[in-house]
């Protein structure tokens, strides 16, 4: 299976996914694509010998369809079987998502369906939640919606700030996403629940 990974920044989740696709893993990375040519993850991908591309979203201003038409070019050329959004910070339209329906995944730093959208860690702390975590879900037209394919849970500790919590959640993301991809690439959609 060919896996394309979309990033916007450092790409630590992309690195975890790429480094997991070895040996008898049924998938291999075929493209790392970013909406920012300066994304640090692009160099990490290139250093691993993976094809990269970037389509800057800024020249398109609010014209989401025009940006996505450009984004689709390298993506379709790579002929992915699976598309993983990994720290990808642009909202995709239903049209774009529909082209990959059932084979596009995303990781979100909350225990969905709680805290869709941004600032998930600050919101969980402000709500006084004890538990928090991250989720991998199939991407549908609705933001941070779609069937859950995996979740990792952890406790919010006394004194946690959004930054300390985000850093701890990120380490769980790096374990959860590869575990979900391995199952998904093997056509197994049984949710991965950690611990
Ligand atoms: C992190 O905030 C992570 O929680 C979310 O995307 C952001 C960047 O991740 N999934 P990455 O290091 O670019 O993978």
């Amino acid at each position: 299976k060919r896996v394309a990974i979309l990033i916007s920044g450092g790409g630590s989740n992309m690195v975890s996914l790429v480094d997991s696709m070895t040996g008898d893993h049924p998938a291999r990375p075929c493209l790392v694509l970013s909406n920012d040519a300066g994304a640090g993850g692009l160099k990490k991908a290139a250093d691993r010998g993976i094809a990269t591309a970037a389509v800057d979203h800024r020249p398109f201003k609010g014209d989401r369809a025009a940006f996505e038409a450009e984004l689709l070019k390298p993506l379709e050329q790579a002929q992915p079987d699976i598309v993983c959004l990994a720290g990808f910070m642009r909202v995709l339209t239903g049209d774009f998502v529909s082209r990959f329906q059932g084979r596009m995944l995303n990781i979100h730093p909350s225990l969905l369906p709680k805290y869709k959208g941004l600032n998930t860690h600050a919101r969980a702390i402000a709500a006084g939640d004890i538990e928090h975590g991250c989720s991998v879900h199939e991407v549908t037209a609705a933001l941070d919606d779609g069937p859950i394919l995996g979740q990792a849970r952890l406790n919010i500790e006394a004194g946690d700030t959004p930054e300390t919590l985000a850093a701890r959640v990120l380490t769980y993301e790096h374990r959860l996403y590869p575990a979900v991809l391995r199952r998904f690439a093997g056509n197994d959609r049984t949710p991965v629940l950690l611990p």
Side-chain angles (χ1 to χ4, degrees):
K1 294 269 176 61
R2 298 169 59 85
V3 176
I5 307 172
L6 273 63
I7 66 169
S8 293
S12 70
N13 274 293
M14 175 276 296
V15 168
S16 298
L17 290 172
V18 164
D19 290 352
S20 75
M21 288 185 262
T22 59
D24 66 350
H25 192 300
R28 289 294 185 275
C30 64
L31 175 70
V32 171
L33 175 58
S34 182
N35 63 294
D36 177 355
L42 290 172
K43 181 175 182 326
K44 294 172 189 170
D47 289 350
R48 286 165 172 76
I50 300 163
T52 62
V55 177
D56 190 335
H57 65 277
R58 287 166 299 190
F60 298 94
K61 303 248 181 332
D63 189 344
R64 217 179 277 277
F67 165 61
E68 292 181 353
E70 283 307 306
L71 199 68
L72 266 178
K73 290 175 185 171
L75 187 52
E76 291 190 332
Q77 191 170 6
Q79 297 185 305
D81 300 297
I82 299 169
V83 179
C84 290
L85 307 182
F88 188 69
M89 304 306 276
R90 307 304 300 171
V91 173
L92 296 166
T93 65
D95 275 357
F96 186 95
V97 169
S98 64
R99 292 166 184 273
F100 303 98
Q101 191 71 38
R103 56 198 181 97
M104 181 180 276
L105 309 183
N106 180 46
I107 188 154
H108 180 76
S110 79
L111 292 177
L112 291 173
K114 295 184 82 169
Y115 311 126
K116 298 177 182 179
L118 297 174
N119 302 317
T120 61
H121 312 293
R123 290 157 66 191
I125 292 170
D129 290 358
I130 306 282
E131 272 205 334
H132 188 44
C134 48
S135 306
V136 175
H137 63 96
E138 277 188 45
V139 176
T140 58
L143 183 69
D144 298 330
D145 209 55
I148 300 285
L149 293 170
Q151 287 199 317
R153 290 175 183 276
L154 55 88
N155 287 331
I156 297 179
E157 309 294 348
D160 258 331
T161 64
E163 293 70 28
T164 61
L165 189 53
R168 197 153 71 250
V169 170
L170 196 56
T171 66
Y172 283 75
E173 293 179 38
H174 296 162
R175 287 199 294 271
L176 177 67
Y177 214 169
V180 171
L181 177 60
R182 173 117 202 188
R183 268 196 198 169
F184 192 83
N187 300 313
D188 177 355
R189 294 181 184 217
T190 315
V192 175
L193 301 178
L194 304 175

